[in-house]
Amino acid sequence: MKLSAEEQAMLAGDSGPGVRKAMEIVVTLGRIYGARRLVSVGSVQVAGVSYRNLGEAGLEFLREWAGQGARVRVPTTLNPAGMDLHAWRELGFSETFAHRQLAVIEAYRRLGVRTTCTCTPYLVGNVPRRGEHIAWAESSAVSYANSVLGARTNREGGPGALAAAIIGRTAAYGLHLDENRRATLRVVVRCPVRTLSDFGALGYLVGKAARNRVPYFVGLEEACSESALKALGAAMAASGAVALYHVAGVTPEADRPDVLAPDHETLVIDDLRPAYAALNSDVRKIDLVWFGCPHADLEEIAEIVRLLAGRQVKSALWITTAREVREKAETEGLVTAIEAGGGRVVADMCVVVAPMQELSFRTLATPSAKGAAYVPSHAGLQVRYGTVEQCVEAAVTGVWPGCEATPHSRI
Ligand code: F3S
């Protein structure tokens, strides 16, 4: 790998041990993946924030790096934590967990990271330009940045992303290179895809088939809102490892004349029911209804307010979002409206990485395919997956729609 004189000096330790460690990580990753050089990055999104996943070893690693003088040199935002950093007590998280989680946030702050705690950094000012090289962790954000914004990033791991932030560079391989951004799987959609959960279901099926290939969708032009693309990409990143996709007539690189690789395969999707079947378990009573995976934008919150229509909820209802988005929602009266119905707009956190076993929930409903795919194994709850409307009704009645007449069903 060819390094500039400045990069060689950083690798030799001229800028201190913290920078040397970051260079070693980025250069090692570059060598493994056959990169020939490093590229400057415009921004970084760091994952690995919940103390539940990091543990004491992870916290110590961050503190040590900060103690070695490492500081980020490009705008760097942070993934969700394992709790709302302000309202954790009201939500029921323990003092022990909260204390350690806040220590993790403090360690990131010392490293110079903006402690945004969201998986939608593009909703809080970290919006890369088309063609800009970035180093983002968090698979749903990576997918959105590459596909919808046209920026260039691989699926970074936590330490790799932080290292890139500290040296302001990443290794030029994978999706940083033109040739790897061509579609290798043409996806022909022949069934209606109308709702957010339909987009998630489609993403779930395509992700499973695509693994880490680059899909090119045909037949979706009509229905693609930004929320729909967010749901589609998050689902493909969860059931597969899709980091970039194109939608004919919609996404920025889809009209490249050479967008389809010559040896691409074709996949036809004509039925979303297998995804709904795979993501649903047979539970009737719903303890928690979760919206905001990926973190909700203002329109999504407003939609839930509209569907609640002033009714009270019987289940717990959480909408997870970025703190900055929550503040805007508060200004617009949306938080008050949700809280008046007994729900909560929860900032900073993600249910999948939260210590949910500390709370009393056993079942969850969500319109997010990524959430539905991860919650059973990561948070230990049984899941119902359906439309935003079905989830709102579940919150109001406390049972999954259609299950009202079966009072003796399981759970
Ligand atoms: Fe975000 Fe957590 Fe979903 S990180 S995409 S809310 S699983």
Side-chain angles (χ1 to χ4, degrees), residues 52-93:
R52 201 198 79 185
N53 296 347
L54 280 178
E56 214 47 34
L59 172 57
E60 215 27 64
F61 177 80
L62 294 172
R63 282 176 164 166
E64 191 187 304
W65 216 349
Q68 290 170 336
R71 296 292 179 271
V72 302
R73 61 173 73 190
V74 293
T76 303
T77 43
L78 197 60
N79 234 28
M83 63 181 200
D84 184 310
L85 301 181
H86 297 180
W88 55 269
R89 199 175 267 113
E90 294 156 43
L91 295 174
F93 293 110

Side-chain angles (χ1 to χ4, degrees), residues 80 119 138 140 290 292-294 350 352 370:
C119 50
E138 169 43 38
S140 71
W290 178 32
C293 169
C350 158
V352 167
K370 178 176 176 182

Side-chain angles (χ1 to χ4, degrees), residues 166-199:
I166 290 166
I167 61 169
R169 294 160 170 84
T170 192
Y173 67 92
L175 295 177
H176 290 285
L177 309 178
D178 271 348
E179 61 266 31
N180 298 322
R181 299 181 67 85
R182 300 176 77 185
T184 44
L185 182 68
R186 184 167 167 269
V187 181
V188 181
V189 183
R190 293 220 177 108
C191 53
V193 183
R194 297 194 182 99
T195 62
L196 269 194
S197 57
D198 281 353
F199 275 89

Side-chain angles (χ1 to χ4, degrees), residues 123 196 227 230 292 294-305 319 388:
L123 296 180
L196 269 194
S227 298
K230 202 165 76 157
H295 276 178
D297 60 27
L298 279 180
E299 276 177 30
E300 289 168 308
I301 301 172
E303 171 73 353
I304 296 159
V305 169
I319 307 171
V388 174

Side-chain angles (χ1 to χ4, degrees), residues 330-399:
E330 208 158 12
T331 310
E332 295 191 11
L334 298 171
V335 173
T336 308
I338 295 288
E339 288 179 352
R344 307 216 41 144
V345 181
V346 177
D348 313 316
M349 68 165 279
C350 158
V351 165
V352 167
V353 298
M356 295 302 285
Q357 71 285 355
E358 293 190 349
L359 313 182
S360 57
F361 307 125
R362 295 292 167 264
T363 59
L364 174 147
T366 182
S368 162
K370 178 176 176 182
Y374 281 166
V375 158
S377 55
H378 289 67
L381 310 180
Q382 289 185 282
V383 170
R384 279 285 186 178
Y385 174 65
T387 63
V388 174
E389 287 83 353
Q390 283 176 304
C391 290
V392 168
E393 291 313 307
V396 170
T397 62
V399 294

